[in-house]
Amino acid sequence: MNKKLAIILTGCLIAAVMMSGCSSAGDVQVAANSSQSGSTPKVSQTAVSQQEDTEIKNLISDYFVKLYSGYALNYQKNLATGSIPEDLKSFLAKRAVEEGNNNAEVGLNFPRFVGMNGITMVSYKMLTEGKEPQIDSTFIENVDGTVLYFVKVNLLASCVPDSTFDAHFTLDPNTNTYQKTSDIAADQVDSIKVQAKYDVELVKEKEDSGYKIIRARESAYKHGAKNRLFRYNNDFITRLPYLNLEQSDDKTGVANKEDTETYKGECTVITSFLDNILSMDGERRTLLGGSWDDSYSKFCLLAETIGIDKDKDKNEILLINDRYKELFPKEALLLQSDIMSIKKKGDYTITMHPAYSKLNRWYMVSFNGTVKKSIGSAYAQEYSFDFFIKLTAGKTTKVSNVKLNKMAPIVKTESKEAAGSTESQKTAAASDSTTVSDSSGSSQANNAAGNSVDVQ
């Protein structure tokens, strides 16, 4: 009897499995992934058809393009009262409009002023790839007919320092929204690239109708309108590299030719500047250091005479003004009195600083070099160098600010027999490491990431 029951149950199980595999490919999307160990593939199914998925992604894209076509300032009233702009209602479910309109807790989060690392973003523009907006929508789940998508929107954000923002806007503490009191000068407005992330929920209001948006919230959603509108509530937004230096999708070229050419041109200016500084002999370093101490006019004249202000084609590559002692510290130009010569080893490593923006074009530059500190001496110590270098933005590119972050001797590990002498060298090398302070006096030594250096 038990055997007959087992046979019957097995047959039912097989039939159920066969029936579950008969769904139409148009009704579900199936993704199978096999692990390297050869284990059974994991199969996941979406709850929308391929056609519906395409329609939803197009709807989401059109919604965010429309959403970010207006200025953040224009949405301040909507943020305070929860009123839904008329031009967005066609994308929304009837329920969202009828139940959420004029309610500050509405599940639609509009563009707003966002603070991040000492700056405030005041307006946004959609980034495009060709003519297509840079919007990525990914299906997450379907719960009782409500479909959830995770959406990433790439934006060009106009921003100003927090102090500038505070001087031109007043805060309503009851709603955490702002009112503009005066215009900001155009030359005070910078640009950065950011990615905003949203959780978008959609529903069908009728079985035979398409999906419409019922909620579009910042992904790191905070309950309570006042809490969410706090200027430094920025967890839903992250900064992107200003220059896109990635390869194209097919790996045959670059994703953005214009950005790549900009980077190459700026690297050329940085390389020319450092080559000029490193090529000076001890006598010229002493003379230039003396003129730096003396006056702006004498420093500029000698810099031009020596030729450190131009590249090999006689193009000017330095922007020197009467703030030269602040922007070009003596140590950053390697004018220390005890340096006789420096010979670079290998290539420069030139990397965009995280603070790189349209106006603040900061780079991190590192290299190794051998340094001689005595006239006629054959002894040369190898050092590692780390710089922060800022370039001008515009038609001509020049070095406008240099900070020496680190200049430290490199101590090579020796054999056990020489362990004793090695420890002595390490002690001597540690005392020889150069520590530099910026204009505010804060230490910058051994901080290649730039955390102690203000580059805003």
Side-chain angles (χ1 to χ4, degrees):
M1 183 66 180
N2 289 339
K3 288 183 178 180
K4 288 181 180 181
L5 182 58
I7 292 171
I8 292 171
L9 290 174
T10 302
C12 292
L13 180 59
I14 293 172
V17 170
M18 291 177 67
M19 289 176 67
S20 67
C22 294
S23 299
S24 169
D27 294 334
V28 295
Q29 301 169 358
V30 180
N33 299 310
S34 300
S35 66
Q36 294 181 354
S37 61
S39 60
T40 304
K42 295 182 179 179
V43 180
S44 62
Q45 298 180 344
T46 70
V48 294
S49 69
Q50 189 169 15
Q51 179 180 346
E52 286 177 322
D53 182 65
T54 300
E55 291 174 354
I56 289 171
K57 288 179 177 178
N58 288 338
L59 175 73
I60 290 173
S61 180
D62 292 343
Y63 170 79
F64 280 102
V65 168
K66 178 64 70 174
L67 183 70
Y68 278 104
S69 64
Y71 294 105
L73 180 64
N74 296 347
Y75 288 106
Q76 293 301 296
K77 182 179 178 181
N78 304 100
L79 292 167
T81 65
S83 59
I84 300 173
E86 287 296 325
D87 58 358
L88 296 180
K89 289 182 179 179
S90 62
F91 303 98
L92 306 177
K94 183 179 179 181
R95 172 182 149 192
V97 177
E98 290 181 348
E99 298 179 11
N101 198 20
N102 298 316
N103 186 331
E105 303 301 334
V106 64
L108 302 169
N109 296 167
F110 309 122
R112 58 185 178 87
F113 301 127
V114 179
M116 178 189 294
N117 299 327
I119 59 174
T120 297
M121 289 169 264
V122 295
S123 66
Y124 308 89
K125 181 180 178 181
M126 187 72 64
L127 287 173
T128 59
E129 206 166 299
K131 293 183 178 181
E132 295 299 317
Q134 293 185 15
I135 299 174
D136 180 50
S137 303
T138 304
F139 171 85
I140 301 299
E141 64 180 3
N142 182 351
V143 179
D144 297 330
T146 300
V147 178
L148 174 64
Y149 275 73
F150 178 59
V151 181
K152 295 182 285 188
V153 183
N154 290 350
L155 304 162
L156 181 69
S158 297
C159 58
V160 294
D162 283 349
S163 57
T164 301
F165 181 85
D166 292 334
H168 294 273
F169 291 87
T170 58
L171 172 67
D172 181 344
N174 295 317
T175 61
N176 263 343
T177 57
Y178 291 85
Q179 182 178 357
K180 187 178 180 180
T181 55
S182 58
D183 291 331
I184 302 174
D187 60 0
Q188 292 182 292
V189 182
D190 199 357
S191 295
I192 62 175
K193 292 180 180 179
V194 296
Q195 182 177 88
K197 302 181 223 22
Y198 290 86
D199 295 322
V200 178
E201 296 178 60
L202 307 99
V203 295
K204 278 185 178 182
E205 294 192 310
K206 295 180 180 179
E207 189 62 33
D208 58 348
S209 65
Y211 282 92
K212 290 295 184 72
I213 296 170
I214 190 169
R215 294 185 187 87
R217 291 176 167 176
E218 297 167 358
S219 60
Y221 183 77
K222 283 184 171 56
H223 289 282
K226 186 175 179 180
N227 295 328
R228 184 177 58 78
L229 297 180
F230 174 58
R231 194 162 112 210
Y232 267 82
N233 172 26
N234 56 22
D235 291 342
F236 78 105
I237 200 165
T238 56
R239 192 160 174 172
L240 298 175
Y242 192 80
L243 299 181
N244 181 3
L245 305 178
E246 295 181 357
Q247 285 186 305
S248 57
D249 291 338
D250 58 10
K251 306 300 182 184
T252 60
V254 294
N256 189 307
K257 185 177 180 181
E258 183 179 352
D259 284 357
T260 301
E261 290 302 317
T262 297
Y263 172 74
K264 288 181 178 179
E266 292 180 342
C267 285
T268 298
V269 172
I270 291 172
T271 298
S272 297
F273 163 70
L274 289 174
D275 283 347
N276 290 348
I277 296 299
L278 298 180
S279 65
M280 289 190 298
D281 57 24
E283 182 180 6
R284 281 182 167 174
R285 288 180 198 281
T286 300
L287 292 173
L288 190 61
S291 68
W292 188 96
D293 292 331
D294 200 346
S295 68
Y296 165 60
S297 58
K298 288 186 177 181
F299 175 68
C300 288
L301 179 61
L302 190 55
E304 183 179 356
T305 302
I306 294 174
I308 66 167
D309 63 336
K310 296 180 177 64
D311 63 15
K312 62 182 180 181
D313 298 319
K314 304 303 179 183
N315 298 312
E316 291 188 0
I317 58 171
L318 287 186
L319 181 63
I320 305 175
N321 55 35
D322 55 5
R323 295 174 55 210
Y324 73 99
K325 288 189 176 182
E326 173 190 348
L327 301 176
F328 294 92
K330 202 170 184 180
E331 293 84 358
L333 296 177
L334 302 179
L335 299 179
Q336 295 89 323
S337 59
D338 61 341
I339 295 179
M340 294 297 106
S341 67
I342 303 174
K343 184 176 181 181
K344 180 172 68 74
K345 296 183 67 177
D347 298 323
Y348 299 113
T349 299
I350 304 176
T351 308
M352 270 192 302
H353 194 283
Y356 186 109
S357 65
K358 180 181 178 180
L359 299 183
N360 295 291
R361 304 200 168 198
W362 282 100
Y363 281 91
M364 300 179 289
V365 186
S366 62
F367 62 92
N368 291 346
T370 53
V371 179
K372 287 186 179 181
K373 293 195 170 185
S374 300
I375 298 176
S377 172
Y379 174 73
Q381 170 72 51
E382 186 173 350
Y383 279 74
S384 63
F385 296 84
D386 287 299
F387 286 86
F388 298 120
I389 296 179
K390 183 182 179 182
L391 304 177
T392 58
K395 293 182 178 179
T396 59
T397 302
K398 299 178 182 179
V399 176
S400 60
N401 192 188
V402 182
K403 299 176 185 288
L404 177 62
N405 181 54
K406 183 181 73 172
M407 175 183 169
I410 298 174
V411 179
K412 297 181 179 179
T413 304
E414 297 184 7
S415 62
K416 292 182 179 180
E417 290 78 5
S421 61
T422 300
E423 291 302 319
S424 299
Q425 290 181 17
K426 287 182 179 179
T427 302
S431 64
D432 195 28
S433 179
T434 299
T435 300
V436 184
S437 295
D438 62 15
S439 58
S440 64
S442 60
S443 175
Q444 300 176 23
N446 300 317
N447 184 32
N451 293 329
S452 68
V453 182
D454 181 10
V455 294
Q456 293 294 338

